[in-house]
C-alpha cells in the first residue's frame, strides 16, 4: 500500500517526511509528493518515480516549514503521473490531503461536486476528499474533515493541512492503517511504524471512524459525530527490521496475515452487502461483445496460472463459456487458434511478466479482446489491455506469492458472477448468494489465522520437516490448490513437492507412496469429498503419511489422517481462497524451521521480466 508521513513541530518538516517515506519504500510506490505551509502559503513538490528524484527536486527548491505531509503512491485510481500523485488540493490550493485506501463512492461524489462547479485536476478518488473538506470548511479544519468524511464510503487513512490553520495537522482513519507519534513539542502521523521510529517510540493507533487534531502541544481525538475518544499511548519496542514487517519475522508471514483485508479490498466498490450484481467499472468491454463471447483464453505463469485454473473451473461452470488455460510461455509457440469473439484474460501480479505480455500481443493481433487481472496500476499488462480488474492487493514483497494469489482467485470469482449475469446464466438470486459467500471469506480466513496451532505443530514434526519429497492431492476446484500448495512448499523450503489431481494417483504417482512420504490431500466438504476420501484411504492402506485439509466438524476424516489442518465450512467453488491459507502457513513454518531464506528463496525473482 501507499505510505503517509506528516509532521508538526519545530524542526524542518520535509527532512522528517522524506526520511519517513524512505523508510516506507518497502511498501512499493510509483510516485511521491510533499506539501508544506511555507510563509503562510501551501506549497507542494511532486515527482513520478523513485524518491531520489523527489529528493533532488527538494534540494533544488527547498520547502522550509515546521508543518507538512508527504506520500508515496501505489496507483489505484488513475495511472501513475505527477498529476495523480499526492498530495491533492482543493480548487484554491489552500487545503492539501494525502490518502491511503479506496473511496468507493468517489464517482458519485465527483459528479456532485462537478455539478456544484468544482473543477478536478486528477483522475483520483482522493481529490474528492480535498474538495469535500473545502466545501465544509468554515475556519475549523478539524470540524471540516469530520463533516467531509461523513459523505465518504470506503477505506481511508488521511493527513490534511490548511494554510489558514498553520498550527494544525488533522488525521483520520477507516479501514487503512494510521498511527500518530508523540514527541516533545512535536508530533507525527504515518501509515506504518518504521516511518517515525527514528524520532519517537510513543504511538497512538488510530481506530476506524476516528479523527485526530494534532498540535505541537497536544492532540484530541473524536469520532465522526464529535464524541471524544481516549486512546492509550503505546511504547514501540521493535527493532527497525521488525518494524517494516509490523513485528512479523518475515514479509511472507505478514502478507499471509494481510489476506482478510486484501480480500475485502478486492471486493470493495465491486459488491456490497445484500447486492445482487457485481460492478467492474474498468472492464471497458461492451455488453454485446460479452454476450457474443464464444471462448475465453486464460494465460499466466506460476502461481497466477494456478489462479487461472480456478478461474477456468468457475467460468465454465457458471457461464458455460469454454475456457482454454495456457502457461504464457507456451502460448506463443503453439500458434493458438483464436476464434472470433474470443476474450483473453492474462493474470499477472506485477503486470510486467514478459511471457504474458507476448501472449497478449499475439491474441490482440488475432482480434481477441483482452481483460487482464493485474495488481500494478499503469503496468505494461494493464496498458496493453482493453479492460482491467485490479487486484488491489498492495505491494507483495515476499517472492513466494500469497495474498496476490488469493486476490487473483477472488477477481476470477467476481468476473464469473459479472459475466454470468451479463449472459443470463446466473440469476439475480444466485448472484446474491454467491456475493454473500464471497463477503464471508475474509472472516473465514481470519479463523484459520487465529487457529494456527496445529499447523505450527505439524511444521515441527520430523515426518514433515525432514522429508525430501511430498505429494499434494485435490479434485475439481481444489486440484489447483494442490498445485499451489506444492509450489509454495518447494519454492521456499526446497523440499521436492508435486501436485496431482487425486484421481490420477492410480495412474502412476501411487507408486511413490512409502512410510516416509507425506501426502497432503484437500478434503473439504463438497461434491468431490467422498472420492477424495477414497484416494486418502488408498494412501493410508499403503502406510503413506496422510496430512489432510478438512472442514471443521468432520469427525470422520480423523480416521484417515495422521494430522488434520482445519478450515471453516465454505462454498466449494470459492473454497480455494480459504484452502490456500493453511497450505501457505504450512510451507512458511516448515521453511522457517529449516532455516531457509523465506522472503528471498534462492534463484527466484519476484517478477520475471525476461523470456
Amino acid at each position: 500500500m501507499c505510505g503517509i508521513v506528516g509532521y508538526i513541530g519545530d524542526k524542518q518538516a520535509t527532512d522528517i517526511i522524506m526520511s519517513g517515506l524512505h523508510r516506507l519504500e518497502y511498501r512499493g510506490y510509483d510516485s511521491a509528493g510533499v506539501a508544506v505551509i511555507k510563509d503562510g502559503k501551501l506549497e507542494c513538490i511532486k515527482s513520478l518515480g523513485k524518491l531520489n528524484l523527489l529528493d533532488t527536486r527538494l534540494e533544488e527548491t527547498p520547502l522550509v516549514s515546521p508543518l507538512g505531509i508527504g506520500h508515496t503512491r501505489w496507483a489505484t485510481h488513475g495511472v501513475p503521473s505527477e498529476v495523480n500523485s499526492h498530495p491533492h488540493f482543493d480548487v484554491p490550493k489552500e487545503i492539501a490531503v494525502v490518502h491511503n485506501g479506496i473511496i468507493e463512492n468517489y464517482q458519485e461524489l465527483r459528479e456532485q461536486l462537478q455539478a456544484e462547479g468544482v473543477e478536478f485536476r486528477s483522475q483520483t478518488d482522493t481529490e474528492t476528499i480535498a474538495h469535500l473538506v473545502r466545501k465544509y470548511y468554515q475556519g475549523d479544519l478539524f470540524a471540516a474533515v469530520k463533516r467531509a468524511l461523513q459523505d465518504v464510503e470506503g477505506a481511508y487513512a488521511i493527513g490534511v493541512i490548511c494554510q489558514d490553520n498553520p498550527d494544525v495537522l488533522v488525521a483520520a482513519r477507516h479501514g487503512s492503517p494510521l498511527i500518530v507519534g508523540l514527541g516533545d513539542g512535536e508530533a507525527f502521523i504515518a501509515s506504518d511504524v518504521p516511518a517515525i521510529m527514528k524520532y519517537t517510540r510513543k504511538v497512538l493507533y488510530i481506530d476506524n471512524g476516528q479523527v485526530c487534531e494534532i498540535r505541537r502541544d497536544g492532540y484530541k481525538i473524536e469520532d465522526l459525530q464529535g464524541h471524544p475518544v481516549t486512546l492509550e499511548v503505546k511504547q514501540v519496542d521493535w527493532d527497525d527490521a521488525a518494524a517494516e514487517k509490523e513485528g512479523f519475522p518475515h514479509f511472507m508471514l505478514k502478507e499471509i496475515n494481510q489476506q482478510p483485508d486484501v480480500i475485502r479490498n478486492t471486493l470493495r466498490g465491486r459488491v456490497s452487502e445484500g447486492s445482487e450484481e457485481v460492478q467492474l467499472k474498468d472492464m471497458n468491454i461492451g455488453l454485446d461483445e460479452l454476450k457474443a463471447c464464444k471462448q475465453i483464453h486464460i494465460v499466466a505463469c506460476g502461481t497466477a496460472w494456478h489462479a487461472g485454473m480456478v478461474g477456468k473451473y468457475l467460468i465454465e461452470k457458471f457461464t458455460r463459456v469454454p475456457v482454454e488455460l495456457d502457461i504464457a510461455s507456451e502460448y506463443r509457440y503453439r500458434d493458438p487458434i483464436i476464434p472470433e469473439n474470443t476474450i483473453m484474460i492474462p493474470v499477472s501480479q506485477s503486470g510486467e511478466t514478459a511471457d504474458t505480455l507476448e501472449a497478449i500481443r499475439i491474441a490482440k493481433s488475432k482480434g481477441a479482446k483482452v481483460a487482464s487481472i493485474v495488481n500494478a496500476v499503469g503496468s505494461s499488462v494493464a496498458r496493453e489491455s482493453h479492460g482491467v480488474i485490479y487486484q488491489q492487493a498492495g505491494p507483495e514483497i515476499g517472492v513466494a506469492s500469497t495474498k496476490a494469489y488469493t486476490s487473483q482467485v477472488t477477481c476470477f470469482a467476481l468476473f464469473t458472477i459479472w459475466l454470468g449475469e451479463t449472459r443470463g446464466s446466473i440469476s439475480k438470486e444466485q448472484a446474491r448468494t454467491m456475493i454473500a459467500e464471497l463477503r464471508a471469506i475474509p472472516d473465514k480466513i481470519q479463523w484459520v489465522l487465529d487457529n494456527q496451532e496445529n499447523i505450527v505443530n505439524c511444521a515441527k514434526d520430523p515426518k514433515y520437516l525432514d522429508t525430501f519429497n511430498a505429494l499434494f492431492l485435490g479434485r475439481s476446484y481444489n486440484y489447483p490448490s494442490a498445485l499451489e500448495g506444492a509450489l509454495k512448499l518447494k519454492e521456499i523450503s526446497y523440499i521436492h513437492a508435486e501436485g496431482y489431481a487425486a484421481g490420477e494417483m492410480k495412474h502412476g504417482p501411487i507408486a511413490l507412496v512409502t512410510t516416509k512420504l507425506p501426502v497432503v490431500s484437500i478434503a473439504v466438504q463438497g461434491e468431490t469429498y467422498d472420492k477424495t476420501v477414497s484416494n486418502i484411504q488408498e494412501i493410508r492402506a499403503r502406510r503413506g503419511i496422510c496430512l489432510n485439509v478438512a472442514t471443521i466438524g468432520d469427525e470422520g476424516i480423523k480416521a484417515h489422517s495422521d494430522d488434520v489442518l482445519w478450515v471453516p465450512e465454505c462454498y466449494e467453488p470459492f473454497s480455494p481462497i480459504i484452502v490456500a491459507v493453511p497450505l501457505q502457513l504450512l510451507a512458511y513454518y516448515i521453511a522457517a524451521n529449516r532455516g531457509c531464506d523465506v522472503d528471498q528463496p534462492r534463484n527466484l525473482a519476484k517478477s520475471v521480466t525476461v523470456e
Side-chain angles (χ1 to χ4, degrees):
M1 295 295 193
C2 316
I4 286 175
V5 182
Y7 175 76
I8 184 168
D10 56 7
K11 298 185 178 70
Q12 165 60 304
T14 51
D15 290 345
I16 292 169
I17 290 166
M18 291 304 295
S19 171
L21 292 179
H22 275 290
R23 293 166 72 89
L24 296 178
E25 282 191 281
Y26 69 89
R27 296 167 70 92
Y29 63 98
D30 48 56
S31 55
V34 173
V36 303
I37 307 298
K38 180 181 178 182
D39 300 327
K41 293 291 184 181
L42 183 64
E43 296 195 14
C44 176
I45 294 179
K46 302 181 183 183
S47 176
L48 188 64
K50 294 300 181 184
L51 281 171
N52 58 358
L53 299 175
L54 183 58
D55 286 326
T56 299
R57 291 192 176 186
L58 287 168
E59 289 173 4
E60 295 169 350
T61 310
L63 297 181
V64 180
S65 171
L67 170 64
I69 52 177
H71 188 270
T72 50
R73 179 179 188 245
W74 173 272
T76 56
H77 292 79
V79 299
S81 69
E82 285 193 23
V83 171
N84 287 331
S85 62
H86 300 215
H88 287 283
F89 311 96
D90 62 332
V91 172
K93 204 173 180 182
E94 296 173 350
I95 295 169
V97 176
V98 289
H99 165 230
N100 290 350
I102 299 169
I103 304 305
E104 295 178 14
N105 63 333
Y106 88 98
Q107 191 62 44
E108 175 188 339
L109 293 171
R110 184 184 182 105
E111 292 169 1
Q112 290 174 359
L113 290 163
Q114 287 173 327
E116 295 169 8
V118 173
E119 294 184 6
F120 280 72
R121 300 180 178 92
S122 75
Q123 302 167 297
T124 68
D125 56 332
T126 301
E127 191 180 349
T128 58
I129 301 174
H131 295 308
L132 284 171
V133 174
R134 164 55 61 186
K135 178 178 179 178
Y136 296 116
Y137 181 72
Q138 296 181 343
D140 186 336
L141 184 62
F142 185 51
V145 171
K146 285 188 293 181
R147 178 60 187 88
L149 292 177
Q150 291 178 29
D151 293 347
V152 168
E153 298 174 8
Y156 56 79
I158 63 171
V160 188
I161 58 175
C162 173
Q163 70 179 32
D164 294 337
N165 288 188
D167 297 317
V168 175
L169 170 60
V170 177
R173 181 232 169 152
H174 185 83
S176 295
L178 187 72
I179 61 169
V180 173
L182 304 175
D184 184 10
E186 61 185 358
F188 314 78
I189 65 169
S191 51
D192 214 346
V193 171
I196 62 170
M197 284 185 64
K198 181 179 177 181
Y199 306 101
T200 184
R201 298 296 178 107
K202 295 179 179 179
V203 171
L204 296 169
Y205 289 91
I206 306 303
D207 209 346
N208 285 339
Q210 295 176 352
V211 187
C212 185
E213 180 187 74
I214 308 161
R215 298 177 181 268
R216 292 171 180 81
D217 57 355
Y219 63 91
K220 65 179 178 181
I221 304 172
E222 296 179 1
D223 64 19
L224 296 184
Q225 288 70 45
H227 302 119
V229 174
T230 301
L231 295 179
E232 181 183 357
V233 178
K234 302 286 188 180
Q235 182 74 27
V236 177
D237 295 322
W238 303 340
D239 62 26
D240 287 357
E244 291 184 355
K245 302 179 181 80
E246 297 180 6
F248 292 100
H250 297 94
F251 281 110
M252 182 180 177
L253 187 59
K254 172 185 173 181
E255 288 157 1
I256 291 171
N257 279 270
Q258 287 178 328
Q259 287 174 113
D261 285 338
V262 165
I263 303 304
R264 291 187 185 100
N265 286 340
T266 305
L267 299 177
R268 185 171 284 124
R270 292 160 174 170
V271 297
S272 57
E273 187 173 354
S275 62
E276 59 187 21
E277 62 181 24
V278 169
Q279 300 289 334
L280 297 180
K281 298 175 183 177
D282 295 321
M283 188 53 64
N284 299 326
I285 296 177
L287 292 178
D288 290 341
E289 293 173 300
L290 291 168
K291 291 176 180 177
C293 176
K294 295 178 181 177
Q295 192 172 89
I296 291 173
H297 289 195
I298 297 173
V299 295
C301 302
T303 285
W305 187 76
H306 299 155
M309 185 178 291
V310 180
K312 172 182 169 68
Y313 281 108
L314 290 171
I315 292 167
E316 290 190 335
K317 170 72 173 179
F318 293 102
T319 75
R320 309 312 299 159
V321 177
V323 177
E324 290 194 11
L325 173 68
D326 277 271
I327 295 171
S329 58
E330 289 297 311
Y331 190 78
R332 62 186 298 188
Y333 297 115
R334 71 175 182 85
D335 192 15
I337 299 169
I338 302 177
E340 187 179 4
N341 299 319
T342 292
I343 294 175
M344 169 182 271
I345 305 178
V347 190
S348 173
Q349 187 277 141
S350 68
E352 303 296 340
T353 309
D355 291 314
T356 303
L357 282 165
E358 185 59 30
I360 290 171
R361 293 161 188 155
I362 292 169
K364 287 174 69 176
S365 72
K366 297 186 178 185
K369 290 287 186 178
V370 179
S372 60
I373 294 174
V374 66
N375 199 29
V377 176
S379 61
S380 298
V381 168
R383 292 197 307 271
E384 296 201 26
S385 301
H386 298 96
V388 184
I389 306 175
Y390 286 116
Q391 297 173 225
Q392 298 179 354
E396 189 175 64
I397 308 302
V399 167
S401 181
T402 53
K403 63 178 183 175
Y405 171 74
T406 51
S407 66
Q408 286 164 352
V409 177
T410 303
C411 287
F412 272 115
L414 290 168
F415 177 83
T416 297
I417 299 169
W418 180 76
L419 182 62
E421 287 189 289
T422 300
R423 294 173 61 89
S425 61
I426 294 177
S427 67
K428 290 188 178 298
E429 185 58 39
Q430 187 177 16
R432 185 183 293 109
T433 299
M434 294 173 77
I435 288 168
E437 293 289 349
L438 275 178
R439 288 174 58 82
I441 285 173
D443 288 341
K444 294 181 179 183
I445 292 176
Q446 191 62 54
W447 185 94
V448 176
L449 295 172
D450 292 341
N451 293 273
Q452 297 184 27
E453 183 178 0
N454 203 32
I455 303 171
V456 172
N457 289 337
C458 285
K460 297 175 185 175
D461 192 321
K463 64 178 178 284
Y464 305 118
L465 180 63
D466 298 332
T467 189
F468 293 98
N469 299 284
L471 292 180
F472 287 71
L473 304 181
R475 285 180 178 266
S476 185
Y477 302 104
N478 281 305
Y479 168 38
S481 299
L483 296 173
E484 176 62 11
L487 177 60
K488 285 286 119 6
L489 184 64
K490 61 188 168 189
E491 67 183 339
I492 64 171
S493 75
Y494 315 140
I495 293 171
H496 175 251
E498 297 297 334
Y500 282 94
E504 285 293 293
M505 278 300 287
K506 291 192 288 291
H507 295 273
I510 200 167
L512 298 173
V513 175
T514 69
T515 58
K516 295 183 179 181
L517 180 73
V519 181
V520 182
S521 300
I522 295 111
V524 294
Q525 294 291 337
E527 292 181 359
T528 63
Y529 174 78
D530 290 339
K531 290 188 180 298
T532 302
V533 170
S534 178
N535 294 127
I536 295 170
Q537 289 172 318
E538 293 168 353
I539 296 160
R540 197 154 182 80
R542 289 156 180 83
R543 301 176 66 196
I545 302 167
C546 294
L547 174 58
N548 299 320
V549 180
T551 307
I552 299 167
D554 181 3
E555 294 298 318
I557 197 68
K558 294 180 180 178
H560 314 300
S561 308
D562 288 276
D563 294 284
V564 183
L565 307 182
W566 299 107
V567 296
E569 183 179 357
C570 48
Y571 179 59
E572 187 178 17
F574 299 158
S575 62
I577 304 172
I578 300 169
V579 164
V581 180
L583 299 179
Q584 292 167 355
L585 289 168
L586 180 69
Y588 168 79
Y589 286 119
I590 288 175
N593 290 340
R594 287 166 66 97
C596 299
D597 187 344
V598 173
D599 286 333
Q600 294 288 333
R602 66 188 182 208
N603 304 329
L604 296 179
K606 185 64 183 171
S607 178
V608 182
T609 56
V610 294
E611 296 176 26

